[in-house]
């Protein structure tokens, strides 16, 4: 990351797209007697009630109606639908979920015995990170969706599991649920009970984690910033001076810490200040190698609006990005792709704002920038699944499974980059107090798959597979 000016995001080459990603309020959840005697029940409502729609939105909840605790990783839910065309490819996404979209998977399958209202199904699963449900508890809201890969409208009025009038949660027997491989809820289309071993997985499903390539995965399972495995795994915890950030600030390796949270190891980046450059300590971790170029980059990151101690208001930047070095002003082989969250504004903004920015090049003095960005002015406090994909035609950004922005081929990388996380202060103008304060940014994992464009659901499935196998680190990405 380099220092930025207000004009950084106002260059003539930039194309701005503003999006708003909101969460829908939870609806009241009625129950019915249909769950009697079953260990779990599934409730449904639709987020898109039209006969046709850009995407189908089956929103679901799982309730434990039994007397014993249920591990959600043992639960599978099937939503049945009629394909819109022969060989049609569908994609799954999670917009928002109480259990976290990173803990929910979606794969598609083909029914062995097609009916007039169903020849396909979407199967929802859970990772171990989703936890368990005590008797009487439910999973909370799962705002799920799927769509045709070509984004043509889909017809849902002829889909077996669709309910146009289901605009609030209620038990829904037109979806099925399995617990430990045995169906315990719902009625499948005739002859298609989900325990039938002949039900094939859709071989063209982009949610299938079988799309493999050389991969970097790190669960950040380390003891401290001085753990020798950090360097052995190709990371550097920054200590050298320089930008970006407040003049006189230092980069403090000891402020990069690791702790267990909800069964996962979490990396924490702390940035602190007492209102002077000399008192400001910033944090950054980056790969030592610039070997990453096209493919998929993903991380689960927790942004924070408020400091963990002291007064609020500093112009803070919390990030996940890739970058290489600028060899000369306006060099055309420079590349940088950013997620940057400003909880208290900065760069001329007065409130919280999230940027994704794709860089072609820049000149530091006098300042000139060639980039394209997308922005959203709202709070992003909390955990978020961040994904950026780079192929030979575009750079595409996703947040929590939703498309956030697409940037053009003019900004594609010409050479490899490093992968970075940092947290730093733009200036000291946002909060002028000399009272000490500290801010946290947390990171759950990072994933890169070389030369493969994965959907957010594929990312979730790959991470879940690593964790199920007990794999905390893998790097098969070649050096060249």
């Amino acid at each position: 990351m380099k220092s930025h000016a207000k004009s950084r995001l106002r260059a003539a080459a930039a194309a701005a797209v503003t999006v708003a990603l909101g969460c829908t309020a939870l609806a009241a959840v009625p129950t019915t007697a249909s769950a009697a005697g079953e260990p779990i029940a599934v409730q449904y409502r639709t987020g898109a009630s039209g006969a046709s729609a850009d995407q189908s939105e089956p929103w679901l909840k799982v309730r434990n109606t039994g007397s014993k605790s249920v591990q959600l990783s043992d639960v599978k839910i099937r939503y049945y639908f009629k394909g819109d065309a022969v060989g049609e490819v569908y994609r799954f996404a999670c917009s928002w979920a109480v259990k976290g979209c990173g803990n929910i998977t979606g794969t598609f399958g083909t029914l062995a015995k097609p009916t007039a209202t169903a020849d396909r199904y979407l199967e929802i699963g859970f990772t171990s990170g989703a936890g368990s449900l005590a008797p009487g508890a439910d999973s909370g809201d799962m705002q799920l969706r799927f769509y045709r890969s070509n984004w043509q409208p889909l017809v849902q009025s002829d889909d077996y599991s669709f309910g146009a009038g289901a605009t609030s949660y209620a038990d829904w027997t037109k979806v099925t649920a399995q617990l430990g491989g045995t169906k315990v809820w719902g009625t499948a289309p005739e002859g298609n009970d989900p325990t039938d071993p002949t039900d094939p997985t859709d071989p063209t499903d982009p949610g299938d984690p079988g799309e493999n390539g050389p991969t970097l995965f790190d669960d950040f399972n380390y003891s401290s910033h001085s753990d020798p495995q950090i360097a052995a795994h190709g990371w550097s915890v920054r200590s050298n001076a320089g930008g970006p950030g407040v003049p006189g600030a230092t980069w403090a390796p000891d402020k990069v810490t690791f702790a267990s949270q909800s069964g996962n190891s979490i990396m924490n980046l702390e940035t602190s200040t007492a209102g002077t450059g000399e008192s400001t300590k910033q944090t950054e971790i980056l790969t030592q190698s610039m070997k990453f170029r096209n493919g998929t980059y993903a991380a689960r990151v927790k942004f924070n609006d408020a400091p963990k101690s002291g007064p609020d208001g500093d112009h803070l930047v919390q990030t996940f990005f890739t970058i290489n070095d600028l060899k000369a002003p306006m060099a055309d082989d420079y590349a940088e792709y950013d997620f940057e969250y400003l909880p208290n504004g900065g760069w001329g903004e007065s409130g919280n704002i999230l940027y994704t920015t794709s860089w072609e090049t820049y000149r530091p003095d006098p300042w000139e920038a060639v980039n394209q960005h997308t922005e959203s002015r709202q709070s992003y406090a909390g955990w978020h699944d961040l994904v950026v994909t780079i192929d030979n035609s575009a750079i595409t950004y996703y947040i929590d499974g939703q498309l956030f922005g697409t940037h053009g081929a003019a900004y594609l990388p010409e050479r490899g980059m490093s992968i970075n996380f940092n947290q730093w202060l733009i200036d000291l103008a946002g909060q002028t107090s000399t009272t000490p304060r500290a801010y946290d940014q947390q990171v759950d994992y990072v994933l890169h798959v070389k030369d493969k464009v994965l959907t957010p659901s594929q990312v979730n499935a790959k991470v879940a597979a690593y964790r199920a196998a007990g794999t905390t680190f893998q790097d098969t990405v070649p050096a060249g």
Side-chain angles (χ1 to χ4, degrees):
M1 278 316 260
K2 54 192 168 294
S3 295
H4 299 267
K6 183 177 179 181
S7 61
R8 166 197 190 281
L9 297 171
R10 303 292 185 265
V17 182
T18 302
V19 298
L21 304 178
C23 293
T24 303
L26 301 184
V29 183
T31 61
T32 73
S34 60
E38 306 290 357
I40 62 172
V42 180
Q43 299 196 319
Y44 161 85
R45 61 161 293 189
T46 179
S49 58
S52 63
D54 290 336
Q55 54 190 348
S56 185
E57 298 186 46
W59 294 7
L60 303 171
K61 289 188 179 186
V62 180
R63 292 194 301 121
N64 183 349
T65 54
S67 59
K68 297 179 180 179
S69 179
V70 170
Q71 291 292 326
L72 279 170
S73 59
D74 292 333
V75 176
K76 299 286 187 183
I77 303 168
R78 286 190 181 180
Y79 178 96
Y80 302 89
F81 65 99
K82 183 78 171 178
D84 293 271
V86 175
E88 186 70 76
V89 174
Y90 292 85
R91 292 179 176 167
F92 165 78
C94 171
S95 298
W96 186 81
V98 172
K99 290 293 184 180
C101 284
N103 293 315
I104 299 171
T105 63
T107 57
F108 294 93
T110 304
L111 292 180
K113 299 178 181 179
T115 71
T117 58
D119 55 15
R120 306 286 289 276
Y121 62 85
L122 167 64
E123 183 168 275
I124 302 302
F126 301 87
T127 72
S128 59
S132 61
L133 296 180
D138 68 59
S139 64
D141 211 19
M142 294 185 290
Q143 297 181 10
L144 312 178
R145 57 194 174 92
F146 66 92
Y147 54 93
R148 299 171 71 177
S149 61
N150 58 12
W151 276 109
Q152 293 299 305
L154 55 76
V155 176
Q156 41 180 14
S157 57
D158 61 354
D159 291 347
Y160 177 85
S161 295
F162 174 67
T167 55
S168 60
Y169 278 109
D171 289 353
W172 194 252
T173 58
K174 287 192 172 184
V175 295
T176 58
Q178 296 165 263
L179 181 61
T182 301
K183 191 190 82 170
V184 295
W185 174 262
T187 303
E190 186 176 358
N192 291 283
D193 192 272
T195 57
D196 185 344
T198 63
D199 282 352
T201 299
D202 186 343
T204 63
D205 170 30
D208 186 341
E211 298 230 2
N212 294 316
T215 300
L216 167 70
F217 171 73
D218 202 328
D219 220 7
F220 295 113
N221 189 17
Y222 303 110
S223 60
S224 71
H225 74 280
S226 58
D227 188 329
Q229 287 299 304
I230 293 178
H233 289 168
W235 294 98
S236 176
V237 182
R238 184 175 176 180
S239 61
N240 60 295
V246 174
T250 56
W251 295 89
D254 63 312
K255 298 300 183 181
V256 178
T257 57
F258 303 87
S260 179
Q261 187 177 109
S262 301
N264 294 325
S265 179
I266 303 298
M267 177 172 65
N268 190 79
L269 308 178
E270 179 190 295
T271 293
S272 61
T273 188
T276 65
E278 294 70 22
S279 68
T280 302
K281 296 183 183 298
Q282 305 177 145
T283 43
E284 180 168 16
I285 186 169
L286 64 154
T287 59
Q288 299 167 20
S289 173
M290 290 193 293
K291 64 179 182 179
F292 307 99
R293 189 173 169 182
N294 284 17
T296 298
Y297 299 82
R300 190 161 190 255
V301 177
K302 186 178 183 182
F303 298 128
N304 287 292
D305 283 352
K308 67 177 180 181
S309 62
D312 197 3
D314 287 293
H315 291 157
L316 189 72
V317 185
Q318 301 174 339
T319 76
F320 166 44
F321 64 103
T322 68
I323 193 171
N324 60 29
D325 54 326
L326 182 73
K327 293 185 178 297
M330 303 302 287
D332 62 5
D333 64 348
Y334 176 75
E336 179 181 348
Y337 307 97
D338 304 329
F339 288 92
E340 295 174 307
Y341 181 55
L342 283 59
N344 296 312
W347 295 329
E349 295 289 335
S350 59
N352 36 35
I353 187 168
L354 177 69
Y355 293 108
T356 60
T357 309
S358 301
W359 288 81
E360 168 59 16
T361 190
Y362 74 101
R363 180 192 354 255
D365 188 20
W367 179 256
E368 182 178 357
V370 181
N371 60 38
Q372 183 176 357
H373 80 279
T374 303
E375 63 193 41
S376 179
R377 291 175 176 83
Q378 66 176 73
S379 172
Y380 282 87
W383 284 104
H384 295 283
D385 296 312
L386 310 179
V387 176
V388 56
T389 65
I390 304 172
D391 59 21
N392 291 322
S393 60
I395 304 103
T396 306
Y397 296 87
Y398 301 88
I399 298 180
D400 297 330
Q402 289 189 313
L403 177 65
F404 188 83
T406 302
H407 299 166
Y411 307 94
L412 293 173
E414 284 84 14
R415 57 187 172 94
M417 303 169 288
S418 61
I419 297 174
N420 306 245
F421 300 89
N422 68 14
Q423 184 180 218
W424 51 282
L425 293 176
I426 298 171
D427 53 43
L428 296 172
Q431 172 56 263
T432 59
S433 170
T434 57
T435 301
R437 57 268 190 189
Y439 300 83
D440 283 342
Q441 173 187 339
Q442 295 177 315
V443 182
D444 186 6
Y445 71 84
V446 68
L447 175 76
H448 170 70
V449 183
K450 176 180 169 60
D451 296 331
K452 297 290 185 181
V453 173
L454 275 64
T455 64
S457 60
Q458 282 180 290
V459 168
N460 293 342
K462 287 186 74 69
V463 172
Y466 278 120
R467 288 178 165 169
T471 302
T472 59
F473 176 81
Q474 181 185 75
D475 186 3
T476 59
V477 179

